Amino acid sequence: MRVLIVKTSSLGDIVHALPVLDYLHKASPGIEIDWVVEEGFREILEGHPQIAELHLVRTRYWRKHPLAVRTRREVVALRAAMQAREYKLVFDIQGNLKSGLIAWFSGCDHRLGFAEEELQERYNLFFTTRHIPVRLNDRHVTDKCLRVVSVPFGKDFSGMELTTLIATSAEDDSEALALMSTLGEGLVFLFQYGTTWQTKFWSKEGWVALGKTMLERYADSTILFAWGSDAERQAVTDISRSIGAGARVMDRYPLKRLVAILKKMDLVVGGDTGPVHLAAAVGTPTVSFYRSSDGSRSGPRGERHAVIQSPLSCTRCFQTRCNRDQECRESITVDALIDAAARLLALPLQDDSMGYGVL
């Protein structure tokens, strides 16, 4: 059986969907799975042993240049490549207009997607042939994806131990080891300051206080800061300087190299953002905080992960900007993050050398 997964973006959402690969291989041994992904996120899926073929899309370019010859050629090539694979099932676990169109382009007669209440854009309904309702227990985004793909196989995913894997090359792993060799003998933490929405950020003062406290509590430890833009680099440089010795701003790495580094961390701390979800996917303990987004819906799960939700009554508002933003930032306390980190660091070590996460 050959099937297609349509989950084009974003980084965190793709990571949340990775367990569907293990589920499908367990539910139907010998299954062949292809995946449609935005070109900018191809790295996260390349080399995955459970994926047979990747189809790359550039929907942002296509929307900006709908009449361009290049757009037409790429769309026609995508459609031909998918139809040549003759899928028996297509699973649209994105739930918007573009993913619906891509699923339809596949030429497959059996296209499963979300029921209307779970869709990002209701026009998606016109392009899927079966609309799967989620259950009350399917609160987490991973469970919603698993519900859609599980229906044709009649095997419930609840109770199954499903793993996630993000493959890294020997070169990426070697570079990660080289970085680690330049650090001290103590624990190594990665602080992920950057994110997308303003309502997902934390205060610089909070990061400084957290960093100083972590370095005081854990002798010879190191704090690494990752960044993804010039603005983020300036911000984490200022935070690192305020923390002092023991804090260090990393270079900017390709995605797979960052994953290899995340595998080596003792703990990753951050908001609702891709690198935190990447860390959880490869088995690294995480402490993550949520303000406008919902930690119970998208936070890492399991005993090796701590999710801290803002206590404000308006939390989980999903607004990208808010006039109570500063108050909301301050509702995430250093003490709460420190206590969560201490609990995770006290757990027995486990062998995560292969870079697998377990759902």
Side-chain angles (χ1 to χ4, degrees):
M1 178 186 290
R2 183 180 294 137
V3 303
L4 178 68
I5 300 292
V6 182
K7 186 71 167 179
T8 61
S9 61
S10 60
L11 177 58
D13 291 335
I14 293 169
V15 172
H16 286 315
L18 286 175
V20 305
L21 294 169
D22 198 31
Y23 170 83
L24 288 170
H25 280 278
K26 283 182 166 67
S28 181
I31 195 171
E32 195 170 327
I33 307 170
D34 292 357
W35 194 303
V36 183
V37 67
E38 290 282 353
E39 186 176 55
F41 299 117
R42 66 186 297 174
E43 277 190 85
I44 203 66
L45 299 175
E46 282 182 330
H48 198 296
Q50 293 175 322
I51 297 177
E53 186 171 313
L54 287 179
H55 297 292
L56 305 180
V57 297
R58 301 196 306 147
T59 59
R60 181 174 297 179
Y61 176 86
W62 297 346
R63 287 198 303 269
K64 288 183 177 179
H65 309 279
L67 302 179
V69 173
R70 185 174 183 178
T71 296
R72 182 178 182 278
R73 287 175 178 171
E74 290 180 357
V75 172
V76 169
L78 170 68
R79 185 170 186 170
M82 291 192 297
Q83 291 186 2
R85 297 289 282 168
E86 298 182 341
Y87 299 112
K88 186 171 183 179
L89 296 169
V90 172
F91 300 106
D92 178 357
I93 51 177
Q94 186 87 19
N96 57 20
L97 176 58
K98 69 179 180 182
S99 63
L101 282 167
I102 291 168
W104 180 59
F105 285 163
S106 72
C108 178
D109 292 332
H110 304 287
R111 304 183 300 275
L112 287 76
F114 294 114
E116 183 174 358
E117 60 270 17
E118 294 296 329
L119 293 177
Q120 298 177 37
E121 297 171 355
R122 70 179 306 273
Y123 291 108
N124 180 272
L125 290 170
F126 296 108
F127 301 101
T128 51
T129 59
R130 188 171 180 185
H131 311 124
I132 309 302
V134 300
R135 300 181 182 178
L136 290 176
N137 291 335
D138 298 338
R139 182 169 178 78
H140 199 275
V141 291
T142 297
D143 292 341
K144 296 177 191 293
C145 294
L146 286 166
R147 182 63 60 195
V148 173
V149 303
S150 68
V151 167
F153 301 96
K155 295 182 179 180
D156 194 1
F157 56 86
S158 59
M160 296 177 67
E161 187 175 277
L162 300 175
T163 61
T164 61
L165 169 67
I166 301 174
T168 52
S169 68
E171 181 182 1
D172 290 326
D173 294 334
S174 177
E175 288 294 326
L177 285 172
L179 172 64
M180 297 297 289
S181 71
T182 68
L183 308 179
E185 296 296 322
L187 299 173
V188 183
F189 313 123
L190 187 140
F191 283 5
Q192 178 59 40
Y193 164 85
T195 182
T196 50
W197 306 349
Q198 285 301 309
T199 50
K200 290 184 179 181
F201 276 88
W202 194 33
S203 65
K204 292 182 180 179
E205 296 77 13
W207 283 115
V208 172
L210 178 66
K212 287 182 175 180
T213 305
M214 293 288 282
L215 292 177
E216 289 171 0
R217 287 201 178 191
Y218 301 98
D220 301 318
S221 59
T222 301
I223 296 171
L224 299 178
F225 283 91
W227 55 277
S229 68
D230 289 341
E232 286 180 14
R233 180 169 69 169
Q234 184 59 57
V236 297
T237 297
D238 294 342
I239 293 169
S240 177
R241 286 174 181 164
S242 297
I243 293 173
R248 172 174 168 181
V249 177
M250 297 194 302
D251 292 333
R252 185 176 183 180
Y253 294 102
L255 189 58
K256 283 293 187 73
R257 194 146 301 172
L258 176 61
V259 171
I261 292 169
L262 291 171
K263 291 179 183 180
K264 303 297 182 185
M265 297 297 101
D266 292 291
L267 183 73
V268 171
V269 183
D272 184 7
T273 187
V276 171
H277 301 304
L278 285 172
V282 296
T284 300
T286 66
V287 175
S288 54
F289 53 85
Y290 299 79
R291 303 200 293 117
S292 61
S293 56
D294 186 349
S296 66
R297 179 181 179 274
S298 58
R301 296 184 291 180
E303 68 170 2
R304 301 181 71 80
H305 305 287
V307 170
I308 297 171
Q309 187 77 44
S310 167
L312 296 184
S313 60
C314 54
T315 191
R316 303 181 179 93
C317 65
F318 289 97
Q319 295 184 35
T320 58
R321 295 189 178 277
C322 178
N323 56 15
R324 297 182 67 187
D325 184 56
Q326 186 59 37
E327 179 186 1
C328 189
R329 293 187 191 217
E330 293 172 356
S331 73
I332 303 296
T333 67
V334 173
D335 287 345
L337 296 177
I338 285 289
D339 290 346
R343 177 177 64 80
L344 297 183
L345 292 170
L347 294 174
L349 295 176
Q350 68 178 27
D351 181 12
D352 293 323
S353 60
M354 295 301 292
Y356 284 92
V358 180
L359 178 64

